[in-house]
């Protein structure tokens, strides 16, 4: 069985007081370990990683980061390396998020370098792929996602874990979600593409992301190739986040 994951991406949100209140509420919501083997991950801004880790002590929550450096340690002002993140207890690193690609000019080449760093540090990369509305309307959705996925070729060490997040750019933070049919169709195509890259496609979780909320999670999770969600906005409210976790736990 593939891992099932609900991952929260805080983006550039949260302060110390928020971290503490959030951890208290999330611990209470997860007093019972989620059923169905669901892994919960939360990725706060890097500066709050250790505070969140301490505040969540004992809770069934994995720590994630939203980005990592494309290089190892050295004279690279402002960069946080995957090795440093691993050292702080980070298990998952989100790489290639569409906001990083569009606002910070991350190319597939940069994404590949970051993936290599994450693997070298022993972190599990969560590689984000997704098309813009323009690309979808031009019939290029599948080709774009496959190109973004192809950076994994020859890069995944034997036995290493990797997670994919399909996040159509037009659905991120917009309130527009892919239909469960659109999500399932793309996930199935991505799984086939992973197989063509020589990867163990059946064992690689593919998460859906883009305006996942408490009220649409269950229908998105109905797709057999949808193994969970990468949640932005709704992960900032523990109540909504917990509903999304419950929806995945309850999936048969
Ligand atoms: P959203 O963000 O849930 O706010 O649309 C998802 C993401 O960007 O990971």
């Amino acid at each position: 069985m593939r891992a099932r994951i609900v991952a929260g991406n805080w983006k550039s949100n949260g302060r110390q007081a928020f971290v503490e209140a959030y951890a208290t509420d999330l611990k209470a919501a997860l007093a019972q370990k989620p059923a169905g083997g669901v892994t919960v991950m939360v990725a706060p801004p890097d500066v709050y990683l250790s505070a969140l880790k301490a505040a969540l002590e004992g809770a069934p929550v994995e720590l994630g980061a939203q980005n990592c450096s494309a290089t190892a340690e050295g004279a690279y002002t402002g960069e946080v390396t995957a090795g440093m993140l691993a050292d702080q207890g980070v298990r998952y690193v989100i790489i290639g998020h569409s906001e990083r690609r569009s606002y910070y000019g991350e190319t597939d080449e940069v994404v590949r370098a970051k993936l290599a760093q994450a693997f070298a540090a022993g972190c599990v990369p969560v590689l984000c792929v997704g098309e813009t509305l323009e690309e979808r309307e031009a019939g290029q959705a599948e080709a774009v996602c496959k190109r973004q996925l192809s950076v994994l070729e020859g890069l995944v060490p034997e036995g290493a874990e990797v997670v994919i997040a399909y996040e159509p750019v037009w659905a991120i933070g917009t309130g527009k979600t892919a239909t469960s049919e659109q999500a399932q169709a793309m996930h199935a195509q991505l799984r086939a593409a992973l197989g063509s890259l020589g990867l163990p496609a059946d064992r690689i979780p593919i998460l859906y992301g883009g305006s996942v909320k408490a009220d649409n999670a269950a229908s998105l999770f109905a797709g057999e190739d949808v193994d969970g969600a990468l949640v932005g906005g709704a992960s900032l409210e523990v109540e909504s986040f917990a509903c999304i976790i419950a929806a995945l736990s309850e999936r048969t």
Side-chain angles (χ1 to χ4, degrees):
M1 197 176 107
R2 282 190 292 279
R4 295 174 172 193
I5 303 169
V6 175
N9 171 12
W10 287 11
K11 309 191 178 184
S12 272
N13 293 294
R15 291 287 168 96
Q16 187 64 36
F18 177 83
V19 169
E20 282 155 23
Y22 187 94
T24 304
D25 293 348
L26 189 58
K27 266 181 137 171
L30 298 178
Q32 311 267 333
K33 201 169 187 276
V38 171
T39 296
V40 177
M41 177 272 258
V42 178
D46 287 355
V47 285
Y48 296 118
L49 280 167
S50 61
L52 185 65
K53 184 182 173 208
L56 283 172
E57 177 78 45
V61 181
E62 297 284 351
L63 211 52
Q66 302 171 17
N67 182 29
C68 71
S69 173
T71 65
E73 280 76 7
Y76 303 104
T77 302
E79 291 295 287
V80 175
T81 68
M84 293 169 188
L85 295 170
D87 187 44
Q88 291 298 305
V90 167
R91 170 138 196 258
Y92 295 94
V93 183
I94 299 169
I95 294 178
H97 190 281
S98 63
E99 287 153 13
R100 303 265 354 143
R101 293 179 193 260
S102 64
Y103 304 149
Y104 304 99
E106 281 190 15
T107 59
D108 286 331
E109 202 180 6
V110 171
V111 169
R112 187 172 158 91
K114 292 187 173 193
L115 288 165
Q117 291 297 324
F119 284 126
C123 293
V124 179
V126 179
L127 169 62
C128 300
V129 303
E131 80 286 358
T132 61
L133 186 59
E134 225 179 5
E135 289 162 341
R136 175 161 280 264
E137 286 173 346
Q140 294 165 352
E142 192 185 334
V144 168
C145 293
K146 283 187 174 167
R147 190 204 75 226
Q148 292 173 341
L149 202 63
S150 68
V151 297
L152 286 172
E153 192 162 15
L155 199 67
V156 187
E158 190 68 40
E161 283 177 64
V162 58
V163 176
I164 309 301
Y166 169 55
E167 299 206 305
V169 178
W170 47 272
I172 295 177
T174 58
K176 286 186 198 144
T177 340
T179 61
S180 48
E181 291 77 19
Q182 282 172 325
Q184 167 55 29
M186 184 61 88
H187 282 226
Q189 281 157 357
L190 292 176
R191 197 172 303 289
L194 287 167
S196 309
L197 294 172
L199 295 166
D202 283 346
R203 297 208 304 271
I204 298 179
I206 307 180
L207 316 183
Y208 171 80
S211 298
V212 178
K213 309 275 177 230
D215 60 5
N216 60 21
S219 89
L220 287 160
F221 295 152
E224 61 175 334
D225 287 293
V226 180
D227 303 310
L230 179 52
V231 187
S235 76
L236 293 167
E237 297 151 22
V238 169
E239 209 182 318
S240 317
F241 195 47
C243 285
I244 297 167
I245 296 165
L248 189 60
S249 297
E250 285 155 17
R251 183 171 100 176
T252 47

